[in-house]
Amino acid sequence: MECILEVCVDNIESARKAEAGGADRIELCQALAVGGLTPSLGFLRKIKENLNIPVFTMIRARDGDFSYSELEVEQMKDDIRAALSVGINGFVLGALRKNNVDKEVCYSLLKECGNKPVTFHRAFDLIEDSSVALSDIIELGFSRILTSGHSTSAYKGMENIKSFIEKVESRIIIMPGCGINVMNLKEIKDFTGATEYHSSAQLPRAVVEDNNVVKGTTYHPMTSIEIVKKMKTILCSYS
């Protein structure tokens, strides 16, 4: 079975490059530097107008913790409705209360998503009791969990990721993410047996694909077509 590569992006050019490189799905957000926030409606619309592969959107009202006020929850519901209006394919969200899954908030957000697939994002990695969290997330009806295995990277968290996959027994997709690159992808895949992977597939900050950077400005990291191609080759070669 061919493995899925989801590429997370926060700008239109990265999204186009991810698709050109062979990405299977896009996770769309703004402000990747803070872990990703809800993209604007205009951003969502332009992405859906210019891409042919599935696009999942981040739903996150702000940076910081994942415990939300009533107004923030209502804001995220409005964002979900707006995303549905432009034909979004799926969602990425999560909410915590006292470092456990906030089942009430998650349930209310999932109801707004209708029948679209929803990923529980890396808020999962902040939860101490993963067994209870796995059960709660499955019971709520999420489609997948994005996780670095409670570690600073998916590579360092491989043992936990493998354990999660064994525990859920195909009831939900466990998708490794955070720090996955061309150099470690094969090892992570061989060890965990995961079927979906999440990466920004970006060039290092010091490398620029073209000379279109204005002197004196900060270079914004960009997804690389070649890196996406190489990652897909690795996944297809060892499926």
Side-chain angles (χ1 to χ4, degrees):
M1 180 174 65
E2 182 178 350
C3 290
I4 299 296
L5 177 62
E6 175 182 272
V7 178
C8 56
V9 303
D10 63 359
N11 62 84
I12 290 175
E13 286 308 308
S14 282
R16 288 162 61 92
K17 289 180 179 183
E19 182 176 55
D24 299 288
R25 183 173 65 236
I26 294 295
E27 182 201 285
L28 191 68
C29 62
Q30 291 191 204
L32 273 177
V34 297
L37 302 176
T38 306
S40 70
L41 181 57
F43 189 15
L44 283 168
R45 182 178 288 115
K46 286 305 175 187
I47 288 291
K48 287 300 295 177
E49 288 174 355
N50 288 277
L51 264 67
N52 295 309
I53 59 176
V55 178
F56 284 20
T57 182
M58 172 71 77
I59 300 294
R60 186 183 177 201
R62 53 161 173 76
D63 63 357
D65 63 43
F66 298 96
S67 179
Y68 300 107
S69 69
E70 289 185 16
L71 282 176
E72 288 172 332
V73 173
E74 290 303 314
Q75 173 187 333
M76 291 190 287
K77 288 181 180 179
D78 285 347
D79 288 333
I80 291 170
R81 297 182 196 114
L84 289 170
S85 74
V86 297
I88 205 71
N89 302 101
F91 296 92
V92 182
L93 56 87
L96 304 180
R97 177 173 295 183
K98 296 180 180 179
N99 290 330
N100 294 307
V101 176
D102 190 329
K103 293 192 286 185
E104 181 178 348
V105 168
C106 286
Y107 178 72
S108 69
L109 294 175
L110 284 166
K111 281 178 61 178
E112 296 295 334
C113 297
N115 61 357
K116 299 295 184 182
V118 184
T119 301
F120 194 99
H121 56 44
R122 287 190 58 227
F124 174 78
D125 290 318
L126 301 178
I127 300 172
E128 292 182 3
D129 192 337
S130 59
S131 295
V132 172
L134 287 170
S135 296
D136 287 344
I137 292 169
I138 291 169
E139 181 182 347
L140 284 163
F142 283 89
S143 303
R144 61 181 51 74
I145 298 171
L146 173 62
T147 178
S148 61
H150 294 335
S151 189
T152 55
S153 71
Y155 183 78
K156 293 180 179 178
M158 284 194 297
E159 290 191 10
N160 281 336
I161 292 170
K162 182 177 181 179
S163 174
F164 299 155
I165 291 171
E166 292 171 349
K167 284 179 181 177
V168 301
E169 297 178 336
S170 301
R171 290 175 293 164
I172 192 170
I173 297 166
I174 301 295
M175 179 169 62
C178 186
I180 295 180
N181 55 50
V182 172
M183 301 302 294
N184 61 28
L185 177 56
K186 181 182 183 299
E187 187 174 353
I188 293 170
K189 183 182 185 304
D190 288 347
F191 187 84
T192 66
T195 57
E196 298 195 9
Y197 297 84
H198 174 96
S199 174
S200 64
Q202 292 177 343
L203 285 169
R205 288 179 181 270
V207 180
V208 182
E209 284 188 311
D210 54 43
N211 295 314
N212 198 31
V213 178
V214 178
K215 184 178 293 185
T217 62
T218 301
Y219 170 61
H220 187 83
M222 192 76 66
T223 295
S224 163
I225 294 174
E226 290 307 313
I227 290 176
V228 175
K229 284 181 177 179
K230 288 176 181 177
M231 295 182 83
K232 279 299 297 181
T233 297
I234 291 168
L235 293 176
C236 292
S237 299
Y238 298 96
S239 296

